[in-house]
Amino acid sequence: MKGRRMVIGVLVLLLLVGGGVVSVHGEDGGGLGRSMPLALPSATGAATSSGVDIELVGQIGGTTNTVAVQGNYAYIGVGPRLVVVDVSDPGTPRKVGESKVLPDVVRDVVIEGSYAYVAARGLHVIDISDPKLPREIGFYDTPGSANGVFVSGNYAYVAAGGAGLRVVDVTDPAAPRRVGFYDTPGSANGVFVSGNYAYVADDWGGLRVVDVSDPASPREVGFYNTPEWAAGVFVSGNYAYVTATAAGLRVVDVSDPAAPREVGFYNTPGLWAKGVFVSGNHAYVTDNGVRLWVVDVSDPAAPRTRGVGFYTTPGLWALGVFVSGNYAYVAAGNAGLRVVDVTDPASPREMGFYATPSSAYDVFVSGNYAYVAAAAAGLWVVDVADPTAPRKMGFYDTPGSAVGVFVSGNYAYVADGNAGLRVVNVTDPAAPREVGFYDTPGHAVGVFVSGNYAYVTATAAGLRVVDVSDPAAPRE
């Protein structure tokens, strides 16, 4: 019974880690014995359609969509938590604190003084005066989603998806209250406030310019129809820099807020330009072609990357970006936080990273540890001795995409996609290390070990039986 409770606890632990299908095994390879599609429960638990109550007891990991930096700390969304990372040494970022589980994935964060304003199914105000112990002190339940947030003076401006722009009074951070709203025609994805105007990236509604001089009665004064969906916006001087998915970066003159007009553009090669941050003469743009683009905007009419550069993230996405000093901090989706030196804009280079498991495809529990196949984040070893407070012990960055795992004795056998079967010694859970591998003819997607044999399913190549009696030299 003890082993089964542990399996269920870890299943719940992984509910918020990422999408996909998780296969759960018991210590003897039995347990639930089937794969299950996962859904996000509420932080307080929910009843399934079958009437079985499921309660969230712990959580670790998740995709990284956003980042904000203040002083020596980067504040990032990791799944449904705000995580505080010490970046005083850019080469070795390290986590120092995290919030409790929020009701949705963190989509945006803004730091103002001692508070973090977090968009995650509503606006959450988190006290970060002690970076090691971030704690929520206030909440405003926005209608619709909460995709973006900007704080100016006593007000937080929330891009609330289909509910448009919401203006929230945060004079008392412990008691945020709505004072006004403007229902944009599209779906509000991002917002930037400059002076008396809020600039809203409104998806298919393009860029909307909203007068917020009276926060109780925001009113639109102008708009610009971007050629593709507007995803993000940053305002600097007289220009709004708008990411427009497949249309890249659009530079819009907003010197007359009633008549915004495009003056230049740069088509990023990726499929979805999303994040944008402007510092000096450069715009830093992320796209889901897994790149951070450094665009020279010294001439707004002719943005260019010639003589500038780009940085390719190791994960599947580059989503949010924040620039502070000589460093660009990239929220890289399933690859966590990447710290990029942009001292020379022509040659951005990674200095360090804080990796998180995002997509959890499989899990195996043995003793006090859960072994998680976390796709591009490799194999993660998580201490679940206290199921309410799972914590990372160690990880091994497999060369492929870890989608299956089985533990037998001192070894974890990982089905690693196009990198085949990897055999990882987990005698020291804090320092897993590869000891052998077998390059399956197809993509390895599942693994089960019995005795001296690993049974591996490989796409287009069926079932492969691999002798692992010598873990250093697996052979079919």
Side-chain angles (χ1 to χ4, degrees):
M1 194 63 187
K2 179 181 177 183
R4 188 171 180 80
R5 282 198 302 271
M6 180 65 75
V7 169
I8 294 173
V10 175
L11 168 63
V12 177
L13 173 154
L14 288 169
L15 285 176
L16 287 175
V17 171
V21 173
V22 168
S23 174
V24 184
H25 310 282
E27 292 186 29
D28 60 354
L32 300 180
R34 63 184 186 278
S35 295
M36 290 179 264
L38 297 183
L40 291 174
S42 71
T44 57
T48 67
S49 58
S50 62
V52 177
D53 289 332
I54 299 178
E55 180 186 359
L56 176 65
V57 295
Q59 183 274 343
I60 187 171
T63 188
T64 300
N65 292 312
T66 184
V67 55
V69 178
Q70 180 175 267
N72 289 328
Y73 297 102
Y75 300 84
I76 65 176
V78 177
R81 294 183 192 261
L82 176 72
V83 172
V84 186
V85 181
D86 185 335
V87 291
S88 54
D89 178 359
T92 56
R94 60 185 183 87
K95 184 179 86 171
V96 295
E98 65 181 6
S99 72
K100 291 184 177 180
V101 176
L102 301 174
D104 197 4
V105 170
V106 173
R107 304 191 184 281
D108 199 11
V109 58
V110 169
I111 307 301
E112 190 71 22
S114 297
Y115 300 103
Y117 296 85
V118 179
R121 196 187 297 171
L123 175 66
H124 303 261
V125 184
I126 298 178
D127 185 334
I128 54 169
S129 53
D130 181 355
K132 296 179 181 178
L133 294 170
R135 59 187 183 90
E136 183 173 321
I137 60 166
F139 170 68
Y140 170 68
D141 188 8
T142 56
S145 56
N147 297 327
V149 60
F150 194 100
V151 176
S152 179
N154 291 328
Y155 299 98
Y157 300 83
V158 181
L165 176 69
R166 319 305 287 197
V167 184
V168 182
D169 187 334
V170 290
T171 306
D172 179 0
R177 61 184 185 87
R178 193 199 80 185
V179 294
F181 73 94
Y182 172 68
D183 190 5
T184 57
S187 180
N189 288 323
V191 57
F192 195 105
V193 178
S194 180
N196 289 327
Y197 299 99
Y199 299 84
V200 181
D202 199 39
D203 207 70
W204 54 265
L207 174 69
R208 319 304 293 195
V209 184
V210 182
D211 185 335
V212 290
S213 55
D214 179 0
S217 300
R219 60 185 183 88
E220 182 175 299
V221 295
F223 69 91
Y224 165 68
N225 277 328
T226 51
E228 293 283 345
W229 294 355
V233 57
F234 193 105
V235 178
S236 180
N238 289 327
Y239 298 99
Y241 298 83
V242 184
T243 49
T245 61
L249 176 69
R250 320 304 291 195
V251 184
V252 182
D253 185 334
V254 290
S255 54
D256 179 0
R261 61 185 184 90
E262 181 176 301
V263 295
F265 68 91
Y266 176 73
N267 272 327
T268 55
L271 298 177
W272 189 294
K274 188 177 188 304
V276 56
F277 194 103
V278 179
S279 180
N281 288 327
H282 297 102
Y284 299 82
V285 181
T286 58
D287 69 27
N288 72 346
V290 300
R291 281 184 172 172
L292 169 71
W293 295 92
V294 185
V295 183
D296 185 335
V297 290
S298 54
D299 178 1
R304 61 188 180 89
T305 57
R306 188 178 64 224
V308 194
F310 65 86
Y311 160 72
T312 302
T313 62
L316 297 178
W317 308 287
L319 299 172
V321 57
F322 194 103
V323 179
S324 179
N326 291 327
Y327 300 100
Y329 300 84
V330 181
N334 67 328
L337 173 70
R338 321 305 290 197
V339 184
V340 183
D341 186 336
V342 290
T343 306
D344 178 3
S347 301
R349 61 189 182 93
E350 182 173 299
M351 291 292 293
F353 65 91
Y354 170 70
T356 62
S358 62
S359 299
Y361 281 87
D362 200 11
V363 59
F364 193 104
V365 177
S366 180
N368 288 329
Y369 300 102
Y371 300 83
V372 182
L379 174 69
W380 278 65
V381 184
V382 180
D383 185 334
V384 291
D386 178 0
T388 65
R391 62 187 183 92
K392 184 190 79 173
M393 285 294 295
F395 75 97
Y396 170 67
D397 189 5
T398 58
S401 181
V403 293
V405 59
F406 195 104
V407 178
S408 179
N410 291 326
Y411 300 98
Y413 299 84
V414 181
D416 201 38
N418 63 353
L421 174 70
R422 319 304 291 195
V423 185
V424 182
N425 187 318
V426 290
T427 306
D428 179 0
R433 59 185 181 86
E434 182 174 302
V435 295
F437 71 92
Y438 169 68
D439 190 5
T440 55
H443 285 210
V445 294
V447 57
F448 193 103
V449 178
S450 180
N452 288 328
Y453 298 98
Y455 299 83
V456 184
T457 50
T459 56
L463 176 69
R464 320 303 291 197
V465 183
V466 183
D467 184 335
V468 290
S469 54
D470 179 1
R475 62 187 183 87
E476 183 169 307

Coordinates of all heavy atoms in Angstrom, one line a residue, residues 82-149:
L82 N 6.3 31.0 -9.2 CA 7.3 32.1 -9.5 C 8.6 31.6 -8.8 O 8.6 31.3 -7.6 CB 6.9 33.4 -8.9 CG 7.9 34.5 -8.9 CD1 8.0 35.0 -10.4 CD2 7.5 35.7 -8.0
V83 N 9.7 31.5 -9.5 CA 10.9 31.0 -9.0 C 12.0 32.2 -9.0 O 12.1 32.9 -10.0 CB 11.5 29.8 -9.8 CG1 12.9 29.4 -9.3 CG2 10.5 28.6 -9.6
V84 N 12.7 32.3 -7.9 CA 13.7 33.4 -7.8 C 15.1 32.7 -8.0 O 15.4 31.8 -7.3 CB 13.6 34.0 -6.4 CG1 14.6 35.2 -6.3 CG2 12.2 34.5 -6.1
V85 N 15.8 33.3 -8.9 CA 17.1 32.7 -9.3 C 18.2 33.8 -9.1 O 18.1 34.9 -9.5 CB 17.1 32.3 -10.8 CG1 18.5 31.7 -11.1 CG2 16.0 31.2 -11.0
D86 N 19.2 33.4 -8.3 CA 20.3 34.3 -8.1 C 21.2 34.3 -9.3 O 21.8 33.3 -9.7 CB 21.1 33.8 -6.8 CG 22.3 34.8 -6.4 OD1 22.7 35.5 -7.3 OD2 22.7 34.7 -5.3
V87 N 21.4 35.5 -9.9 CA 22.2 35.6 -11.1 C 23.4 36.5 -10.9 O 24.0 37.0 -11.8 CB 21.4 36.1 -12.4 CG1 20.4 35.0 -12.8 CG2 20.7 37.4 -12.0
S88 N 23.8 36.6 -9.6 CA 25.0 37.5 -9.3 C 26.2 36.9 -10.0 O 27.1 37.7 -10.4 CB 25.2 37.6 -7.8 OG 25.3 36.3 -7.2
D89 N 26.3 35.6 -10.2 CA 27.3 35.0 -11.0 C 26.6 34.5 -12.3 O 25.9 33.4 -12.2 CB 28.0 33.8 -10.3 CG 29.0 33.1 -11.2 OD1 29.2 33.5 -12.4 OD2 29.6 32.2 -10.7
P90 N 26.6 35.2 -13.4 CA 25.8 34.8 -14.6 C 26.2 33.4 -15.1 O 25.4 32.8 -15.8 CB 26.2 35.9 -15.6 CG 26.7 37.0 -14.8 CD 27.4 36.4 -13.6
G91 N 27.4 32.9 -14.8 CA 27.8 31.6 -15.2 C 27.1 30.5 -14.5 O 27.1 29.3 -15.0
T92 N 26.7 30.7 -13.3 CA 26.1 29.7 -12.5 C 24.8 30.2 -11.8 O 24.8 30.3 -10.5 CB 27.1 29.1 -11.4 OG1 27.5 30.2 -10.6 CG2 28.2 28.4 -12.1
P93 N 23.7 30.4 -12.5 CA 22.5 30.8 -11.8 C 22.0 29.7 -10.9 O 22.2 28.5 -11.2 CB 21.5 31.0 -13.0 CG 22.4 31.1 -14.2 CD 23.6 30.3 -14.0
R94 N 21.4 30.1 -9.8 CA 21.0 29.1 -8.8 C 19.7 29.6 -8.2 O 19.5 30.7 -7.9 CB 22.0 28.8 -7.7 CG 22.4 30.0 -6.9 CD 23.5 29.7 -5.9 NE 23.8 30.9 -5.1 CZ 23.2 31.1 -3.9 NH1 22.2 30.3 -3.5 NH2 23.5 32.2 -3.2
K95 N 18.8 28.6 -8.0 CA 17.5 28.9 -7.4 C 17.7 29.2 -5.9 O 18.4 28.5 -5.2 CB 16.5 27.7 -7.6 CG 15.1 28.0 -7.0 CD 14.2 26.9 -7.3 CE 14.3 25.9 -6.1 NZ 13.2 24.8 -6.2
V96 N 17.0 30.3 -5.4 CA 17.0 30.6 -4.0 C 15.7 30.5 -3.3 O 15.6 30.4 -2.1 CB 17.7 32.0 -3.7 CG1 19.1 32.0 -4.2 CG2 16.9 33.1 -4.4
G97 N 14.6 30.6 -4.1 CA 13.3 30.6 -3.5 C 12.2 30.3 -4.6 O 12.5 30.5 -5.8
E98 N 11.0 30.0 -4.1 CA 9.9 29.8 -5.1 C 8.6 30.1 -4.3 O 8.5 29.9 -3.1 CB 9.9 28.4 -5.7 CG 9.7 27.3 -4.7 CD 9.7 25.9 -5.4 OE1 10.0 25.8 -6.5 OE2 9.4 24.9 -4.7
S99 N 7.6 30.5 -5.1 CA 6.3 30.7 -4.5 C 5.5 29.4 -4.3 O 6.0 28.3 -4.8 CB 5.5 31.6 -5.4 OG 5.1 30.9 -6.6
K100 N 4.4 29.4 -3.7 CA 3.5 28.3 -3.7 C 2.9 28.1 -5.1 O 3.1 28.9 -5.9 CB 2.4 28.5 -2.6 CG 3.0 28.5 -1.2 CD 1.8 28.5 -0.2 CE 2.4 28.5 1.2 NZ 1.3 28.5 2.3
V101 N 2.3 27.0 -5.3 CA 1.7 26.7 -6.6 C 0.5 27.7 -6.8 O -0.4 27.8 -6.0 CB 1.1 25.2 -6.6 CG1 0.4 25.0 -7.9 CG2 2.3 24.2 -6.4
L102 N 0.6 28.3 -8.0 CA -0.5 29.2 -8.4 C -1.5 28.5 -9.3 O -1.2 27.3 -9.7 CB 0.1 30.4 -9.2 CG 1.2 31.2 -8.4 CD1 1.8 32.2 -9.3 CD2 0.5 31.9 -7.2
P103 N -2.7 29.0 -9.5 CA -3.7 28.3 -10.2 C -3.5 28.0 -11.7 O -4.3 27.3 -12.3 CB -5.0 29.1 -9.9 CG -4.5 30.5 -9.7 CD -3.1 30.3 -9.0
D104 N -2.5 28.6 -12.3 CA -2.2 28.4 -13.7 C -0.7 28.6 -14.0 O 0.0 29.1 -13.1 CB -3.1 29.4 -14.5 CG -3.2 28.9 -16.0 OD1 -2.7 27.9 -16.3 OD2 -3.8 29.7 -16.8
V105 N -0.3 28.3 -15.2 CA 1.1 28.6 -15.6 C 1.3 30.1 -15.5 O 0.5 30.9 -15.9 CB 1.3 28.0 -17.0 CG1 2.6 28.5 -17.6 CG2 1.2 26.5 -17.0
V106 N 2.5 30.4 -15.0 CA 2.9 31.8 -15.0 C 3.2 32.3 -16.4 O 4.0 31.8 -17.1 CB 4.1 32.0 -14.1 CG1 4.6 33.5 -14.2 CG2 3.8 31.7 -12.6
R107 N 2.4 33.4 -16.8 CA 2.6 33.9 -18.2 C 3.3 35.2 -18.3 O 3.9 35.5 -19.3 CB 1.2 34.0 -18.8 CG 0.4 32.7 -18.8 CD -0.8 32.7 -19.6 NE -1.5 31.4 -19.5 CZ -1.2 30.3 -20.0 NH1 -0.2 30.2 -20.8 NH2 -1.9 29.2 -19.8
D108 N 3.4 35.9 -17.2 CA 4.1 37.2 -17.2 C 4.4 37.6 -15.8 O 3.7 37.2 -14.8 CB 3.3 38.3 -17.9 CG 4.2 39.5 -18.4 OD1 5.4 39.3 -18.3 OD2 3.7 40.5 -18.8
V109 N 5.5 38.4 -15.6 CA 5.8 38.9 -14.3 C 6.5 40.2 -14.4 O 7.3 40.5 -15.3 CB 6.8 37.9 -13.5 CG1 8.1 37.6 -14.3 CG2 7.1 38.4 -12.1
V110 N 6.1 41.1 -13.5 CA 6.7 42.5 -13.5 C 7.2 42.7 -12.0 O 6.4 42.4 -11.1 CB 5.7 43.6 -13.9 CG1 6.3 44.9 -13.6 CG2 5.5 43.5 -15.4
I111 N 8.4 43.3 -11.8 CA 8.9 43.6 -10.5 C 8.8 45.0 -10.3 O 9.2 45.9 -11.1 CB 10.3 43.1 -10.3 CG1 10.5 41.6 -10.8 CG2 10.8 43.3 -8.9 CD1 9.7 40.7 -10.0
E112 N 8.2 45.4 -9.1 CA 8.1 46.8 -8.7 C 8.4 46.9 -7.2 O 7.6 46.5 -6.4 CB 6.6 47.3 -9.0 CG 6.5 48.8 -8.9 CD 7.2 49.6 -9.9 OE1 7.4 49.1 -11.0 OE2 7.4 50.8 -9.7
G113 N 9.6 47.4 -6.9 CA 9.9 47.5 -5.5 C 10.1 46.1 -4.9 O 10.8 45.3 -5.4
S114 N 9.4 45.9 -3.8 CA 9.4 44.6 -3.1 C 8.3 43.7 -3.5 O 8.1 42.7 -2.8 CB 9.3 44.9 -1.6 OG 10.4 45.7 -1.1
Y115 N 7.7 43.9 -4.6 CA 6.6 43.1 -5.1 C 6.8 42.6 -6.5 O 7.3 43.3 -7.4 CB 5.3 43.8 -5.0 CG 5.0 44.3 -3.5 CD1 5.1 45.7 -3.2 CD2 4.5 43.4 -2.6 CE1 4.9 46.1 -1.9 CE2 4.3 43.9 -1.3 CZ 4.5 45.2 -0.9 OH 4.2 45.6 0.3
A116 N 6.4 41.3 -6.7 CA 6.3 40.8 -8.0 C 4.8 40.7 -8.4 O 4.0 40.2 -7.6 CB 6.9 39.4 -8.1
Y117 N 4.4 41.2 -9.5 CA 3.1 41.2 -10.0 C 3.0 40.1 -11.1 O 3.7 40.2 -12.1 CB 2.6 42.5 -10.6 CG 2.6 43.6 -9.5 CD1 3.8 44.3 -9.1 CD2 1.4 43.8 -8.8 CE1 3.8 45.2 -8.1 CE2 1.4 44.8 -7.8 CZ 2.6 45.5 -7.4 OH 2.6 46.4 -6.4
V118 N 2.3 39.0 -10.8 CA 2.3 37.8 -11.6 C 1.0 37.6 -12.3 O -0.1 37.5 -11.7 CB 2.7 36.6 -10.8 CG1 2.8 35.3 -11.6 CG2 4.1 36.8 -10.1
A119 N 1.1 37.4 -13.7 CA -0.1 37.0 -14.4 C -0.2 35.5 -14.5 O 0.7 34.9 -15.1 CB -0.1 37.6 -15.8
A120 N -1.2 34.9 -13.8 CA -1.3 33.4 -13.8 C -2.8 33.1 -13.4 O -3.1 32.8 -12.3 CB -0.4 32.8 -12.9
R121 N -3.7 33.2 -14.4 CA -5.1 33.1 -14.2 C -5.5 34.1 -13.1 O -5.9 33.7 -11.9 CB -5.6 31.7 -13.8 CG -7.1 31.5 -13.9 CD -7.6 30.2 -13.4 NE -7.0 29.0 -14.1 CZ -7.1 27.8 -13.8 NH1 -7.8 27.4 -12.7 NH2 -6.6 26.8 -14.5
G122 N -5.4 35.3 -13.4 CA -5.6 36.4 -12.4 C -4.3 37.1 -12.1 O -3.2 36.7 -12.6
L123 N -4.4 38.2 -11.4 CA -3.2 38.9 -11.0 C -2.8 38.6 -9.5 O -3.7 38.7 -8.6 CB -3.5 40.4 -11.0 CG -2.4 41.4 -10.5 CD1 -1.1 41.2 -11.4 CD2 -2.9 42.8 -10.5
H124 N -1.6 38.1 -9.3 CA -1.1 37.7 -8.0 C 0.0 38.7 -7.6 O 0.9 38.9 -8.4 CB -0.6 36.3 -8.0 CG -1.6 35.3 -8.5 ND1 -2.3 34.5 -7.7 CD2 -2.0 34.9 -9.8 CE1 -3.1 33.7 -8.4 NE2 -2.9 33.9 -9.6
V125 N -0.2 39.2 -6.4 CA 0.9 40.1 -5.9 C 1.7 39.3 -4.8 O 1.1 38.8 -3.8 CB 0.2 41.3 -5.2 CG1 1.3 42.3 -4.7 CG2 -0.7 42.0 -6.1
I126 N 3.0 39.2 -5.1 CA 3.9 38.3 -4.3 C 4.9 39.2 -3.7 O 5.7 39.9 -4.4 CB 4.5 37.2 -5.1 CG1 3.4 36.3 -5.7 CG2 5.5 36.4 -4.3 CD1 3.8 35.2 -6.6
D127 N 5.0 39.1 -2.3 CA 6.1 39.9 -1.6 C 7.4 39.2 -1.8 O 7.6 38.0 -1.4 CB 5.7 39.9 -0.1 CG 6.6 40.7 0.7 OD1 7.8 40.9 0.4 OD2 6.2 41.2 1.8
I128 N 8.4 39.9 -2.3 CA 9.7 39.3 -2.6 C 10.8 40.0 -1.8 O 12.0 40.0 -2.1 CB 10.1 39.4 -4.1 CG1 9.9 40.8 -4.6 CG2 9.2 38.4 -4.9 CD1 10.5 41.0 -6.0
S129 N 10.4 40.7 -0.7 CA 11.3 41.4 0.2 C 12.4 40.4 0.7 O 13.5 40.8 0.9 CB 10.6 42.1 1.3 OG 9.8 41.2 2.0
D130 N 12.0 39.2 0.9 CA 12.9 38.1 1.2 C 12.9 37.2 0.0 O 12.0 36.4 -0.1 CB 12.6 37.4 2.5 CG 13.6 36.3 2.8 OD1 14.5 36.0 2.0 OD2 13.4 35.6 3.9
P131 N 13.9 37.3 -0.9 CA 13.9 36.4 -2.1 C 13.8 34.9 -1.8 O 13.4 34.2 -2.7 CB 15.2 36.8 -2.8 CG 15.6 38.2 -2.3 CD 15.1 38.1 -0.8
K132 N 14.3 34.5 -0.6 CA 14.2 33.1 -0.3 C 12.8 32.6 0.1 O 12.6 31.4 0.0 CB 15.2 32.8 0.8 CG 16.7 33.1 0.5 CD 17.6 32.8 1.6 CE 19.0 33.1 1.3 NZ 19.9 32.8 2.4
L133 N 12.0 33.6 0.4 CA 10.6 33.2 0.9 C 9.6 34.1 0.2 O 8.8 34.8 0.8 CB 10.5 33.3 2.4 CG 11.4 32.4 3.2 CD1 11.3 32.8 4.7 CD2 10.9 31.0 3.0
P134 N 9.4 34.0 -1.1 CA 8.4 34.8 -1.8 C 7.0 34.3 -1.3 O 6.8 33.1 -1.2 CB 8.6 34.5 -3.3 CG 9.4 33.2 -3.4 CD 10.2 33.2 -2.1
R135 N 6.1 35.2 -1.0 CA 4.8 34.8 -0.5 C 3.7 35.7 -1.1 O 3.9 36.9 -1.2 CB 4.8 34.8 1.0 CG 5.0 36.2 1.6 CD 5.2 36.2 3.1 NE 5.4 37.5 3.7 CZ 4.4 38.3 4.1 NH1 3.2 37.9 4.0 NH2 4.7 39.5 4.5
E136 N 2.6 35.1 -1.5 CA 1.5 35.8 -2.1 C 0.8 36.6 -1.0 O 0.4 36.0 0.1 CB 0.5 34.9 -2.8 CG -0.6 35.6 -3.5 CD -1.5 34.7 -4.3 OE1 -0.9 33.8 -5.0 OE2 -2.7 34.9 -4.3
I137 N 0.5 37.9 -1.2 CA -0.2 38.7 -0.2 C -1.5 39.2 -0.8 O -2.4 39.7 0.0 CB 0.7 39.8 0.3 CG1 1.1 40.8 -0.8 CG2 1.9 39.3 1.0 CD1 1.6 42.1 -0.3
G138 N -1.6 39.2 -2.1 CA -2.8 39.8 -2.7 C -3.2 39.1 -4.0 O -2.3 38.5 -4.7
F139 N -4.5 39.2 -4.4 CA -4.9 38.5 -5.6 C -6.1 39.3 -6.2 O -7.0 39.7 -5.4 CB -5.3 37.1 -5.3 CG -6.0 36.4 -6.4 CD1 -5.3 36.1 -7.6 CD2 -7.3 36.0 -6.3 CE1 -6.0 35.4 -8.6 CE2 -8.0 35.3 -7.3 CZ -7.3 35.0 -8.5
Y140 N -6.2 39.4 -7.5 CA -7.4 39.9 -8.2 C -7.7 38.9 -9.3 O -6.9 38.7 -10.2 CB -7.1 41.3 -8.8 CG -8.3 41.7 -9.7 CD1 -9.6 42.0 -9.1 CD2 -8.1 41.8 -11.0 CE1 -10.6 42.3 -10.0 CE2 -9.1 42.2 -11.9 CZ -10.4 42.4 -11.3 OH -11.5 42.7 -12.2
D141 N -8.9 38.4 -9.3 CA -9.3 37.4 -10.2 C -9.9 38.1 -11.5 O -11.0 38.5 -11.5 CB -10.4 36.5 -9.6 CG -10.8 35.3 -10.5 OD1 -10.1 35.1 -11.5 OD2 -11.7 34.6 -10.1
T142 N -9.0 38.2 -12.5 CA -9.4 38.8 -13.7 C -10.4 37.9 -14.5 O -10.2 36.7 -14.5 CB -8.2 39.1 -14.6 OG1 -7.5 37.9 -14.8 CG2 -7.3 40.1 -14.0
P143 N -11.4 38.5 -15.1 CA -12.1 37.7 -16.0 C -11.3 37.3 -17.2 O -10.3 38.0 -17.6 CB -13.3 38.6 -16.4 CG -12.7 40.0 -16.2 CD -11.8 39.9 -15.1
G144 N -11.6 36.2 -17.8 CA -10.7 35.8 -19.0 C -9.4 35.3 -18.4 O -9.2 35.0 -17.3
S145 N -8.4 35.2 -19.3 CA -7.1 34.8 -18.9 C -6.3 36.0 -18.4 O -6.7 37.1 -18.5 CB -6.4 34.1 -20.1 OG -6.3 35.0 -21.2
A146 N -5.1 35.7 -17.9 CA -4.2 36.8 -17.6 C -2.9 36.5 -18.3 O -2.1 35.6 -18.0 CB -3.9 36.9 -16.1
N147 N -2.6 37.2 -19.4 CA -1.5 36.9 -20.3 C -0.3 37.9 -20.1 O 0.8 37.5 -20.4 CB -1.9 37.0 -21.8 CG -3.0 36.0 -22.1 OD1 -3.0 34.9 -21.6 ND2 -3.9 36.3 -23.0
G148 N -0.6 39.1 -19.7 CA 0.5 40.1 -19.6 C 0.1 41.1 -18.5 O -1.0 41.3 -18.2
V149 N 1.2 41.7 -17.9 CA 0.9 42.7 -16.9 C 2.0 43.8 -16.9 O 3.2 43.5 -17.3 CB 0.9 42.0 -15.5 CG1 2.3 41.3 -15.2 CG2 0.6 43.0 -14.4

